[in-house]
Amino acid sequence: MKKKKIQKGFKFNIYWIYVVIFLFFIGLQFLGNEVAKPTNWQDFNKNLLQSRKVEKIVIVNKEKAFIYVKKEFLSEEQFKNVNKKLIGESINYGPHYYFEIGSIETFNDNLKEAQNEFDEDEKISPLYETRKNVFGDILSWILPLVLFIGVWIFIMRRMSGGGSGSQIFSIGKTQGKLIDKENIKVTFNDVAGLDEAKDEVKEIVDFLKNPLRYTKLGGKIPRGAMLIGPPGTGKTLLAKAIAGEANVPFFSISGSDFVEMFVGVGASRVRDMFEQGKKHSPCIIFIDEIDAVGRSRGAGLGGGNDEREQTLNQLLVEMDGFDTNEGIILIAATNRPDVLDPALLRPGRFDRQVVVGNPDIIGREAILKVHVKKINIGPDVKLRTIARGTPGFSGADLANLINESALLAARKNKRVVTMSDVEEAKDKVMMGAERRSMVMSEDEKKLTAYHEGGHAIVALNEKASDPIHKATIIPRGRALGMVMRLPERDQLSVTREKMHADISVAMGGRIAEEIIFGHDKVTSGASSDIDMVTKMAKNMVTKYGMSTELGTIAYGENEEEVFLGRSVTRQQNMSEETAKKIDAEVKKIVDKGYERAKKILNEKIDDLHKIAKALLIYETLSGDEIRDLILKDIKPTRSFKEDENDEGKSSSALGSLGLKPKPAI
């Protein structure tokens, strides 16, 4: 079917009528309804006065002389331009000419002198009139007023017209957008890896489509569903899928849209939101990032009159108050369920809490299948392998991984995305982009190689440590080098053994620097490692109950984030003596990991030299290459071009390991 072309033309507006009327009166003011031709005293005296053709002279306001020509002479040729009115075809009976007279005494003297030879009945005496320009006076004060009102109406229409700026007249109205089904292309088929969450929300959608199936058994429609999960897991995407599946109106709004600088605006917008929902009942209202408005009450510094609290109170009343809103289902999303008000999460308001967590290996594979539909992938791309190598990745992380792979392949002018592109993109996402332009001296490279080698050796000799994925001395992100470890499977909890192993691995880099270069040559490169092990050891003592000295007691309440002024009112829940014991236990755990890593590196010093020298040659080693080199003494084989300037250094380094690079093909 051919689409009808929309003809764009002039659109009639009633305001144009007022403009035309206004311009008409302006024209009458400046043009008048009569034609009076300007002249001067000489022409007037010569052509009119001396020819006895003047009927009368009218002096207006002692400024202008208006000349009226006798009727019997109007048909003459010289008066053809002044004998008709501007509008119509009737004869103009005057005035026909006018001129400025200057002084009234001088004009009278000249007129008297010009008529000296006239008979008495031929002489003309001027008539004097005083005229007030009423329309002009009115216009002089109406015009500025009309202009001011016009500008004011224009500004107000722009401010209340729906722009994203300051909306004066609609500031108390809801900012929610009514989304039509035709405008939403996302369905449940586009949501992968969230089977349990989909089942929960599918029931809500089915309830709206077939309410009798549930109500005949006495069931009630759920009031709301809270989508809870870390960032990037697909909460908003799930809400879009609900909008795409449900045949009911869908309102979308952000939690921050309720918060304004004006008092009472948030509560007013909540009321208006539910009023709009009633008009379109049954409907779904989606509030994204509800923690912006649903935080716990009584925790702020603003007291009970806090604007955010008033907004929350109104939301609670609208959801489950005396005036219940039947047929309105609220769906909210947040990644901070710990800060939400308990009254918001009780049954009758948000009846269901749907956890949208990070996907497992099966979920990651399903998510990857959705995203690879949009790109051209090669036959060597194995989605199961990618899913196995990306534990802990969220849906957003996987989408970013596939997109980065496509960008890398496009940069290399490839027609399809290969597995190597995916691996390179994975390294970029997990470890950061390579900074090959960063200039590092040979001493810095050597120190970085031994630092990363220390991490790798300890990781290889700690049974509870995760397997090494890759080691590199190429600067990535904010790090000069990195040893990346990946767990073999998804980990839902961490054992004490695993934590001690991670602490030992983290201290391996610092110890390797100290062993190889001496105590005074230790650098600041281990600052992030030290920070990590300190936090881990403190959590082991204060949260996880893994200290024999302090037992299974939680001491970590005081270490929470400062939230809405709670730090002002909360009390210290431990004594100074206990705090000292905690510090001592943290130091004990860190020192134990330090000594364990130091023992491993002293025993495996030859392996440390091997890895460090291999990193200096190849810059990047995979986990398999590291294990083959250390455990099986198998040399890395890869093709690369030698730098002629470093030929001697490369040869000596390789010779010390008994390694020789393959010649470039």
Side-chain angles (χ1 to χ4, degrees):
M1 294 180 64
K2 294 183 178 179
K3 295 183 179 180
K4 295 182 178 180
K5 293 184 178 179
I6 301 174
Q7 296 180 353
K8 295 182 180 180
F10 179 78
K11 294 183 178 180
F12 176 77
N13 195 317
I14 193 170
Y15 292 107
W16 287 110
I17 298 176
Y18 298 108
V19 173
V20 172
I21 295 173
F22 181 75
L23 293 177
F24 174 75
F25 284 106
I26 294 290
L28 290 181
Q29 170 64 24
F30 290 99
L31 298 177
N33 194 31
E34 299 171 343
V35 176
K37 190 176 180 181
T39 185
N40 52 53
W41 167 260
Q42 288 77 14
D43 292 341
F44 159 71
N45 185 30
K46 180 180 178 182
N47 300 325
L48 298 176
L49 186 61
Q50 300 301 327
S51 301
R52 301 332 189 250
K53 296 179 180 180
V54 178
E55 181 179 354
K56 63 179 179 178
I57 301 173
V58 180
I59 307 298
V60 178
N61 297 333
K62 298 180 180 181
E63 295 177 352
K64 290 184 179 180
F66 289 89
I67 313 302
Y68 291 77
V69 180
K70 293 179 179 180
K71 297 177 183 180
E72 58 266 24
F73 298 108
L74 288 175
S75 59
E76 296 180 359
E77 183 68 21
Q78 66 175 349
F79 302 118
K80 67 179 182 179
N81 294 328
V82 296
N83 64 352
K84 292 183 180 181
K85 291 186 176 182
L86 180 64
I87 302 175
E89 300 293 333
S90 58
I91 298 175
N92 179 22
Y93 295 107
H96 302 99
Y97 298 94
Y98 74 94
F99 59 88
E100 302 285 342
I101 62 173
S103 173
I104 187 70
E105 291 82 6
T106 303
F107 175 77
N108 288 329
D109 292 341
N110 293 335
L111 183 62
K112 184 177 180 181
E113 184 179 352
Q115 299 182 102
N116 283 334
E117 299 180 357
F118 285 21
D119 297 335
E120 289 297 326
D121 58 341
E122 295 177 340
K123 291 183 179 180
I124 299 174
S125 299
L127 303 176
Y128 296 91
E129 291 183 5
T130 302
R131 298 178 183 177
K132 291 184 178 181
N133 189 356
V134 179
F135 184 79
D137 294 340
I138 295 174
L139 193 66
S140 64
W141 64 269
I142 285 183
L143 186 60
L145 181 62
V146 170
L147 184 63
F148 175 77
I149 294 175
V151 173
W152 177 259
I153 292 174
F154 174 77
I155 294 174
M156 291 296 103
R157 284 175 64 89
R158 291 295 299 269
M159 297 178 76
S160 62
S164 60
S166 49
Q167 302 178 0
I168 299 299
F169 293 123
S170 61
I171 193 168
K173 302 295 182 181
T174 179
Q175 305 298 301
K177 299 178 181 178
L178 179 60
I179 303 175
D180 298 328
K181 180 177 174 60
E182 292 77 15
N183 297 329
I184 301 178
K185 307 300 181 182
V186 182
T187 63
F188 284 138
N189 295 328
D190 300 316
V191 182
L194 304 174
D195 296 335
E196 294 84 2
K198 282 198 295 184
D199 291 338
E200 290 285 339
V201 297
K202 276 182 180 178
E203 188 174 331
I204 296 175
V205 174
D206 188 51
F207 196 110
L208 292 170
K209 290 182 178 180
N210 306 297
L212 293 177
R213 182 190 302 177
Y214 301 88
T215 55
K216 68 181 181 181
L217 298 176
K220 294 183 179 179
I221 187 170
R223 292 291 176 81
M226 181 73 72
L227 306 180
I228 298 172
T233 52
K235 299 183 294 295
T236 306
L237 180 66
L238 191 60
K240 291 180 180 178
I242 296 172
E245 293 285 343
N247 291 316
V248 296
F250 188 91
F251 290 90
S252 177
I253 191 172
S254 173
S256 60
D257 290 335
F258 295 107
V259 184
E260 286 282 355
M261 63 179 291
F262 304 106
V263 177
V265 170
S268 176
R269 288 182 176 178
V270 171
R271 287 191 294 269
D272 187 69
M273 179 182 68
F274 280 89
E275 286 294 329
Q276 296 296 325
K278 289 178 184 177
K279 295 178 182 178
H280 298 85
S281 179
C283 69
I284 296 175
I285 298 176
F286 174 63
I287 305 176
D288 200 6
E289 305 295 344
I290 195 174
D291 53 278
V293 69
R295 291 176 180 252
S296 297
R297 293 166 293 178
L301 299 176
N305 292 323
D306 184 47
E307 173 65 13
R308 182 193 52 77
E309 291 193 6
Q310 301 304 321
T311 305
L312 176 59
N313 290 336
Q314 187 64 43
L315 181 62
L316 296 175
V317 171
E318 292 290 345
M319 290 188 70
D320 190 20
F322 281 101
D323 186 17
T324 57
N325 298 287
E326 297 291 341
I328 300 177
I329 296 180
L330 254 69
I331 298 177
T334 181
N335 51 26
R336 296 290 307 278
D338 55 312
V339 303
L340 295 179
D341 194 276
L344 197 63
L345 300 176
R346 75 160 176 82
R349 291 193 173 114
F350 284 102
D351 303 88
R352 298 183 178 181
Q353 297 184 25
V354 182
V355 178
V356 186
N358 288 324
D360 55 10
I361 183 172
I362 299 174
R364 291 195 297 273
E365 186 178 2
I367 293 172
L368 289 170
K369 287 180 180 178
V370 173
H371 292 298
V372 297
K373 292 179 181 178
K374 303 175 184 178
I375 63 173
N376 297 324
I377 60 172
D380 63 331
V381 177
K382 307 297 181 184
L383 299 183
R384 175 57 65 93
T385 304
I386 301 173
R388 190 181 295 112
T390 52
F393 271 46
S394 64
D397 294 331
L398 295 172
N400 184 41
L401 173 63
I402 298 300
N403 184 61
E404 288 289 343
S405 303
L407 295 178
L408 287 172
R411 196 180 302 166
K412 299 175 183 177
N413 294 322
K414 292 184 177 181
R415 294 185 178 181
V416 294
V417 178
T418 61
M419 195 67 182
S420 61
D421 298 322
V422 178
E423 290 293 332
E424 188 177 351
K426 185 171 70 172
D427 293 340
K428 182 180 179 181
V429 171
M430 299 175 69
M431 299 187 294
E434 291 184 354
R435 295 187 294 164
R436 291 188 175 271
S437 60
M438 186 175 181
V439 180
M440 294 179 63
S441 64
E442 291 299 323
D443 292 339
E444 289 173 330
K445 286 183 180 180
K446 186 177 180 182
L447 190 143
T448 304
Y450 275 99
H451 182 103
E452 305 306 331
H455 289 306
I457 292 298
V458 178
L460 283 175
N461 290 274
E462 284 283 2
K463 294 181 180 180
S465 175
D466 293 325
I468 299 175
H469 169 65
K470 190 168 290 188
T472 181
I473 60 171
I474 299 174
R476 285 181 174 270
R478 293 177 294 177
L480 296 179
M482 188 175 296
V483 174
M484 192 69 192
R485 296 177 297 152
L486 286 179
E488 294 179 329
R489 58 186 180 274
D490 296 319
Q491 295 179 346
L492 302 178
S493 59
V494 186
T495 62
R496 186 200 302 261
E497 183 185 21
K498 174 69 165 54
M499 292 182 185
H500 282 293
D502 289 341
I503 292 174
S504 299
V505 173
M507 301 305 296
R510 172 68 176 262
I511 297 170
E513 292 182 15
E514 188 174 348
I515 292 174
I516 301 301
F517 302 99
H519 183 269
D520 294 333
K521 297 294 184 179
V522 172
T523 66
S524 61
S527 59
S528 59
D529 299 327
I530 295 173
D531 184 63
M532 188 270 288
V533 299
T534 304
K535 290 181 180 178
M536 186 178 295
K538 185 171 285 187
N539 288 334
M540 290 175 66
V541 175
T542 59
K543 291 184 179 181
Y544 309 145
M546 294 182 178
S547 171
T548 55
E549 179 72 21
L550 296 172
T552 53
I553 300 176
Y555 298 96
E557 284 138 3
N558 283 336
E559 307 299 327
E560 295 177 354
E561 295 181 13
V562 177
F563 163 57
L564 294 177
R566 282 182 179 172
S567 61
V568 179
T569 59
R570 66 186 179 188
Q571 298 178 355
Q572 185 82 5
N573 69 329
M574 68 178 75
S575 63
E576 292 185 4
E577 184 180 353
T578 304
K580 290 180 180 179
K581 287 183 179 180
I582 291 174
D583 293 338
E585 283 295 300
V586 170
K587 188 176 185 302
K588 182 179 177 181
I589 293 174
V590 175
D591 289 344
K592 182 180 178 182
Y594 185 93
E595 294 299 328
R596 172 64 179 165
K598 189 174 184 179
K599 180 181 179 183
I600 293 173
L601 288 175
N602 283 324
E603 293 176 354
K604 305 290 183 180
I605 189 69
D606 294 335
D607 294 341
L608 177 61
H609 289 299
K610 276 187 181 181
I611 290 183
K613 292 177 180 179
L615 284 174
L616 287 172
I617 298 168
Y618 299 102
E619 293 186 333
T620 300
L621 297 174
S622 67
D624 293 334
E625 289 176 335
I626 292 175
R627 283 185 288 272
D628 290 341
L629 179 63
I630 301 301
L631 303 178
K632 301 178 183 179
D633 199 24
I634 299 176
K635 309 162 188 176
T637 55
R638 80 181 61 165
S639 301
F640 65 94
K641 294 182 180 180
E642 292 186 21
D643 190 349
E644 296 180 357
N645 296 329
D646 297 334
E647 185 177 356
K649 294 181 182 179
S650 300
S651 300
S652 62
L654 287 170
S656 65
L657 292 174
L659 302 174
K660 293 184 179 180
K662 290 175 65 177
I665 300 174

